[in-house]
Amino acid sequence: MATLLGGSPWTRIRVLPDFAPLLLRRSSLYNLNKFRNLSVSASSIPSSSSDFPKKAGEGEVRVRFAPSPTGNLHVGGARTALFNYLFARSKSGKFVLRIEDTDLERSTKESEDALLRDLSWLGLEWDEGPGVGGEYGPYRQSERNSLYKQYAEKLLDLGHVYRCFCSNEELEKMKEIAKLKQLPPVYTGKWATATEDEVQGELAKGIPYTYRFRVPKEGKLKINDIIRGEVSWGLDTLGDFVIMRSNGQPVYNFCVTIDDATMAISHVIRAEEHLPNTLRQALIYEALGFPMPNFAHVSLILATDRSKLSKRHGATSVGQFREMGYLPQAMVNYLALLGWGDGTENEFFSLQQLVEKFSIDRVNKSGAVFDLTKLRWMNGQHLRSLPPEELIKLLGDRWKTAGILTQAEGAFLMEAVELLKDGIDLITDADQALSNLLSYPLYATLASPEGKTVLEDKLSEVASSLLAAYDSGELKVALEEDHTGWQKWVKGFGKSLKRKGKGLFMPLRVLLTGKLHGPDMGASVILLHKAGTRSVIAPQVQFITLEERFKMLREVDWEGLNKDQPHLESAVVVSH
């Protein structure tokens, strides 16, 4: 019959038979029955632990995102933060941000600032943590050392931990022997069963020591992971592990356990690469009588080659994607879909909609492939769905900052955004889109294979008629009348040349824009006309106005072009 131990609001622990007694230095303080086969599953049992420092409200959901400030926020970390945020918000719980900066050599203030900035940019505002505070702080591990030492001493007093005076050389020799015997590299030193006199003798000599946790030599530990189902480990593969280094610094698994317990974390949602850590952490929870949180281990994000997404695959950090011109709402939307869905065909969600739809039960346990092409497409959809005034301001500020426009407002800007938005997926695409519109690569186009086809369709005759329409003022009047004037003029122009459809619009596009393809030709030409009369284009852009384009058309050597004259190469440079 299973026996219930260390009940908690979140976890049931079953102890099943099958464990050899251990020789312990303080066996009277150490409950041998606690560690046989541990099985963890979600339940609701009143807590019996008087040592639990602070308790959340009955049934309150508290989750945490705990990054290390040793680099940029990876998209995998961002997705973990997002899933924690969505779970907390969907359950009216708390989202806690904790900075795990015990790696003093690699942790930096710059990395921490970047992490906070990226999370805020994504809209993942935390309820407790740096800059916000909270009753469970401090929220940086570097500020919690006294707490770790307190619980390490408690474990020592209870007999769950012992001092280990083994040197690095001794430990390396143990590993080598285990390797030769094809055994796991577990600790097999004498200090697990040392006498009090032996320990005091080493202390008197001032020999440095670590704190090691006693691990049962037989049995298994099982947890019921919310995403992965039952997961188990053999305790004989672990060996007694260090919780405090000889320099007094706590080890990761010890810090995490103490932090999660003392911050009353109800659910630990993290990447699957942390799954092996659960074994050590569960043993520490039980030894201290702390309530065990529910665990949910999220799959890795994979590259298209199915390997773990890394820097060698290109941009992988949130900051990089922000600089590349991605929108936070698109990043959040896409990251949510990496391993989760609401069961419908819908792929577009706002952050609030994700909160309303999110369920941890729908998170997939298989790896999710990061598809940059789809992310880019999704960003374009989000960009174009912005309210018009927001999109205009966004692109206007971008163009002014990039030195293309002299002002970030006005009729020209509104028309340019309306004309070009369908070709813009990233904010940074806007620079090239507007620059392309303003450019006039006539000779380069005519030198291309497709351009040659247009050239051979009596392009010179169309150019001659177009110049006549410009010289007479007829075209200028039409452009001043905007779209109605243009449509009326182009219809009459086509009749006079007995041309229509592609036979009319392709040569006109080439002559007026210098390109074979692009956004709506009429709107483009009208905008080019306005750009040349309103001083909205920055001088350094070297924009070629319609007037200058017609001057160039007068100087074209059509016969030379038809004979494939070599001067085309130099003409391309001039046209730019």
Side-chain angles (χ1 to χ4, degrees), residues 3-68:
T3 306
L4 298 177
L5 292 179
S8 79
W10 307 305
T11 304
R12 170 178 291 150
I13 302 197
R14 290 204 318 266
V15 179
L16 304 175
D18 217 3
F19 228 82
L22 303 175
L23 293 175
L24 302 174
R25 183 166 58 87
R26 294 175 177 158
S27 59
S28 61
L29 297 172
Y30 190 88
N31 186 348
L32 292 179
N33 287 326
K34 277 198 171 188
F35 297 112
R36 293 181 186 267
N37 277 1
L38 300 183
S39 180
V40 181
S41 60
S43 185
S44 295
I45 306 166
S47 174
S48 61
S49 172
S50 60
D51 294 325
F52 193 59
K54 291 182 182 177
K55 295 182 183 179
E58 185 68 28
E60 181 185 10
V61 166
R62 289 178 57 81
V63 299
R64 50 71 165 180
F65 176 57
S68 298

Side-chain angles (χ1 to χ4, degrees), residues 383-446:
L383 190 71
R384 286 182 282 279
S385 67
L386 291 174
E389 62 278 7
E390 189 176 334
L391 181 59
I392 288 168
K393 183 176 186 341
L394 188 67
L395 297 187
D397 289 343
R398 174 74 196 185
W399 284 330
K400 186 177 180 183
T401 302
I404 302 175
L405 296 185
T406 58
Q407 56 191 40
E409 57 186 5
F412 176 86
L413 172 61
M414 290 189 286
E415 291 182 40
V417 171
E418 183 61 31
L419 175 64
L420 301 174
K421 65 181 183 181
D422 287 344
I424 298 173
D425 286 331
L426 306 180
I427 298 170
T428 47
D429 290 348
D431 298 353
Q432 191 62 47
L434 185 54
S435 295
N436 283 344
L437 177 74
L438 300 174
S439 69
Y440 189 58
L442 176 66
Y443 287 103
T445 297
L446 294 178

Side-chain angles (χ1 to χ4, degrees), residues 60-127:
E60 181 185 10
V61 166
R62 289 178 57 81
V63 299
R64 50 71 165 180
F65 176 57
S68 298
T70 55
N72 298 319
L73 179 61
H74 187 274
V75 291
R79 186 191 59 170
T80 299
L82 175 61
F83 282 0
N84 275 281
Y85 175 90
L86 295 177
F87 184 72
R89 292 290 178 266
S90 68
K91 301 292 185 182
S92 300
K94 300 293 185 184
F95 174 53
V96 179
L97 177 62
R98 185 174 72 228
I99 303 299
E100 297 190 343
D101 58 351
T102 50
D103 187 342
L104 301 179
E105 291 183 1
R106 297 176 59 221
S107 297
T108 67
K109 181 65 164 58
E110 291 75 19
S111 288
E112 180 180 324
D113 290 343
L115 285 167
L116 302 183
R117 183 172 60 250
D118 288 343
L119 288 171
S120 295
W121 180 72
L122 291 170
L124 307 183
E125 300 297 337
W126 49 98
D127 301 300

Side-chain angles (χ1 to χ4, degrees), residues 13 30 90 170 203 205 228 246 282 284 316 326 369 373 390 562 571:
I13 302 197
Y30 190 88
S90 68
E170 288 176 288
L203 289 174
K205 296 176 190 175
R228 302 182 175 278
S246 58
I284 297 170
T316 57
Y326 285 86
V369 174
T373 301
E390 189 176 334
N562 284 314

Side-chain angles (χ1 to χ4, degrees), residues 371-520:
D371 186 341
L372 189 58
T373 301
K374 183 166 184 178
L375 171 59
R376 184 187 178 95
W377 168 80
M378 181 168 280
N379 195 81
Q381 301 299 314
H382 276 277
L383 190 71
R384 286 182 282 279
S385 67
L386 291 174
E389 62 278 7
E390 189 176 334
L391 181 59
I392 288 168
K393 183 176 186 341
L394 188 67
L395 297 187
D397 289 343
R398 174 74 196 185
W399 284 330
K400 186 177 180 183
T401 302
I404 302 175
L405 296 185
T406 58
Q407 56 191 40
E409 57 186 5
F412 176 86
L413 172 61
M414 290 189 286
E415 291 182 40
V417 171
E418 183 61 31
L419 175 64
L420 301 174
K421 65 181 183 181
D422 287 344
I424 298 173
D425 286 331
L426 306 180
I427 298 170
T428 47
D429 290 348
D431 298 353
Q432 191 62 47
L434 185 54
S435 295
N436 283 344
L437 177 74
L438 300 174
S439 69
Y440 189 58
L442 176 66
Y443 287 103
T445 297
L446 294 178
S448 68
E450 193 178 354
K452 188 174 181 181
T453 302
V454 179
L455 180 64
E456 292 172 349
D457 186 23
K458 300 180 180 179
L459 183 62
S460 60
E461 293 182 9
V462 180
S464 178
S465 297
L466 184 60
L467 281 166
Y470 179 77
D471 292 340
S472 69
E474 175 187 320
L475 178 57
K476 187 176 181 181
V477 170
L479 294 175
E480 292 288 347
E481 293 176 359
D482 225 344
H483 295 277
T484 303
W486 165 262
Q487 290 172 353
K488 183 179 178 182
W489 176 83
V490 81
K491 185 177 180 181
F493 187 72
K495 280 186 178 181
S496 68
L497 295 179
K498 296 182 180 178
R499 286 175 175 257
K500 60 183 179 179
K502 186 177 180 181
L504 170 65
F505 291 104
M506 184 58 81
L508 273 180
R509 180 180 287 278
V510 169
L511 295 170
L512 291 170
T513 71
K515 295 175 279 288
L516 291 159
H517 308 285
D520 180 79

Side-chain angles (χ1 to χ4, degrees), residues 64-231:
R64 50 71 165 180
F65 176 57
S68 298
T70 55
N72 298 319
L73 179 61
H74 187 274
V75 291
R79 186 191 59 170
T80 299
L82 175 61
F83 282 0
N84 275 281
Y85 175 90
L86 295 177
F87 184 72
R89 292 290 178 266
S90 68
K91 301 292 185 182
S92 300
K94 300 293 185 184
F95 174 53
V96 179
L97 177 62
R98 185 174 72 228
I99 303 299
E100 297 190 343
D101 58 351
T102 50
D103 187 342
L104 301 179
E105 291 183 1
R106 297 176 59 221
S107 297
T108 67
K109 181 65 164 58
E110 291 75 19
S111 288
E112 180 180 324
D113 290 343
L115 285 167
L116 302 183
R117 183 172 60 250
D118 288 343
L119 288 171
S120 295
W121 180 72
L122 291 170
L124 307 183
E125 300 297 337
W126 49 98
D127 301 300
E128 299 173 25
V132 177
E135 62 176 315
Y136 293 85
Y139 294 92
R140 292 182 182 86
Q141 285 186 337
S142 59
E143 300 171 7
R144 299 171 64 84
N145 273 334
S146 61
L147 191 67
Y148 305 137
K149 290 176 181 176
Q150 172 190 333
Y151 282 106
E153 291 298 327
K154 179 171 180 131
L155 287 171
L156 182 67
D157 291 340
L158 290 172
H160 294 296
V161 160
Y162 59 89
R163 295 183 180 93
C164 172
F165 296 90
C166 286
S167 65
N168 289 333
E169 290 74 16
E170 288 176 288
L171 295 173
E172 285 301 320
K173 189 172 182 179
M174 287 181 203
K175 288 181 182 178
E176 290 175 11
I177 293 172
K179 187 176 181 180
L180 289 172
K181 294 181 178 181
Q182 296 182 326
L183 296 172
V186 298
Y187 176 74
T188 58
K190 67 176 182 178
W191 295 103
T193 56
T195 65
E196 188 68 21
D197 287 343
E198 288 175 315
V199 171
Q200 291 302 322
E202 296 299 293
L203 289 174
K205 296 176 190 175
I207 304 297
Y209 59 88
T210 60
Y211 281 14
R212 281 190 183 272
F213 188 93
R214 298 181 188 276
V215 178
K217 302 300 181 279
E218 297 179 10
K220 287 186 176 181
L221 180 132
K222 299 178 182 178
I223 68 164
N224 184 23
D225 190 275
I226 296 173
I227 295 173
R228 302 182 175 278
E230 185 178 285
V231 184

